[in-house]
Amino acid sequence: MTAFKTLDDLAPKGKRILVRVDLNVPMENGQVTDATRLERILPTIRDLAGRGGRVILLAHFGRPKGETFEERASPGESLRPVAVALAGLLGQPIAFAGNCIGPDAETAVAALGDGEVLCLENTRFHKGEEKNDAAFTAALAALGDAYVNDAFSAAHRAHASTEGLARHLPAYAGRTMEAELRALDAALGAPTRPVMAIVGGAKVSTKLDLLGNLVAKVDCLVIGGGMANTFLAARGVNVGKSLCEHDLVATAREIEAKAKAAGCEILLPTDALLAKEFKANPLHRAAPVTSVGPEEMILDAGPTATEIIIAKLDSMKTLVWNGPLGAFELQPFDTATVAVARAAAALTNAGKLVSVAGGGDTVAAVNHAGVGEALSYVSTAGGAFLEWMEGKELPGVKALSA
Ligand code: AMP
């Protein structure tokens, strides 16, 4: 793992500390509808403020468009209501500046006392943020004495607040970033073997790089969800009306060959839950994948396949998981995902398995199975988690290297 400094290496008292956080939370009618990301940054804010640091929060929100600040600064993409919600969770007031650079920001920073917290307006109200522009980065850097990055979810972007600042100021990983990096390292960097990866979800096309990287790193790769259908088709199985990228069967065969050469076992479902309609509780049956009717769709791994995955998992020491094994939003096609998630949680609980899950729907799936808290680590980072699974070096993480 790349070496990085943590908050343990920082003496924050009296210092102005620019803390890059993830405030990109879902909102409806001005209210935060899921505060998970806000809760995750509380340890870093409390640590720094508790030790007398002057905490200056930096974050982006949404995707503002336009050339100038005036064009980009739409009230619907202001961080102000998010800062209010965060202050409620923190149990401490958070000051707000209507611009992340310039006189507004400078005045607000100058007014900060030790142990106080300030949130600066959406960094993406400036075009220079996404361009990692030198003048914009320098203007941000002038506001602080040190830089802390606690936003792993934005670390796959080389933006001013996620990467550029680390080149201007002494840089540290926040508590959540630190936990995330350690968990990811335990899962794929230097894992205890044998390692299983489960990759599910809708399509192979979105996860080609990820599959290519994993077969070279893990001992067993379980392919589930809609993407398994493309692999089954590549093995000559008739998948009926299932979601299947027939144009990628050659690619699927290449991935299988690469896995074989690397000594990685690929597990595909041997049986499945089949239905003719994509909806909750339709008429359905469990059957071997070799007997899919022309009108039928594979919508979940079947009971035998689920047993095989769970039995295999029992002999593993590490699990890394992205993507559901079936159309888990529709019952009963959540069955395999729920059963495997619970088995992983039980093994983790018994101290036999390190389990890391993440990326988009996976968080929803493990929460649906009721085991979000029971796995070793669940990453809420979408794109960054996937890029990490693809084996890419994340610029925001690289920039922290000590
Ligand atoms: P992803 O975002 O690639 O992880 O894909 C997640 C989506 O894949 C979920 O919405 C699932 O409903 C969907 N999915 C998983 N398995 C299947 C399947 N067998 N057929 C259709 N959709 C599926």
Side-chain angles (χ1 to χ4, degrees), residues 200-203 206-207 224-229 242-243 273 278 297-301 322-330 333 359-362 386:
K203 292 183 169 182
T206 56
K207 296 187 185 171
M227 67 166 59
N229 303 337
S242 304
L243 177 65
L273 295 189
F278 191 79
M297 289 178 284
I298 297 174
L299 291 177
D300 196 13
N322 170 262
L325 292 170
F328 78 102
E329 302 92 335
L330 307 172
F333 309 114
D361 275 330
T362 316
L386 290 179

Side-chain angles (χ1 to χ4, degrees), residues 265-392:
E265 179 188 2
I266 289 194
L267 274 188
L268 287 178
T270 47
D271 66 341
L273 295 189
L274 307 173
K276 291 183 180 164
E277 292 172 284
F278 191 79
K279 64 175 196 184
N281 302 307
L283 269 180
H284 64 278
R285 66 183 183 117
V289 291
T290 45
S291 66
V292 181
E295 298 300 320
E296 286 182 312
M297 289 178 284
I298 297 174
L299 291 177
D300 196 13
T304 307
T306 306
E307 262 176 46
I308 292 172
I309 298 168
I310 291 174
K312 191 80 191 173
L313 187 59
D314 207 39
S315 64
M316 295 287 143
K317 293 269 190 297
T318 303
L319 169 68
V320 51
W321 186 347
N322 170 262
L325 292 170
F328 78 102
E329 302 92 335
L330 307 172
Q331 285 196 356
F333 309 114
D334 57 344
T335 310
T337 303
V338 168
V340 173
R342 290 191 179 153
L347 288 169
T348 307
N349 197 27
K352 293 183 183 160
L353 184 75
V354 171
S355 53
V356 174
D361 275 330
T362 316
V363 182
V366 297
N367 285 338
H368 173 72
V371 300
E373 304 289 318
L375 301 181
S376 311
Y377 197 81
V378 177
S379 172
T380 55
F385 185 85
L386 290 179
E387 287 200 19
W388 164 78
M389 271 183 98
E390 288 166 5
K392 295 190 178 138

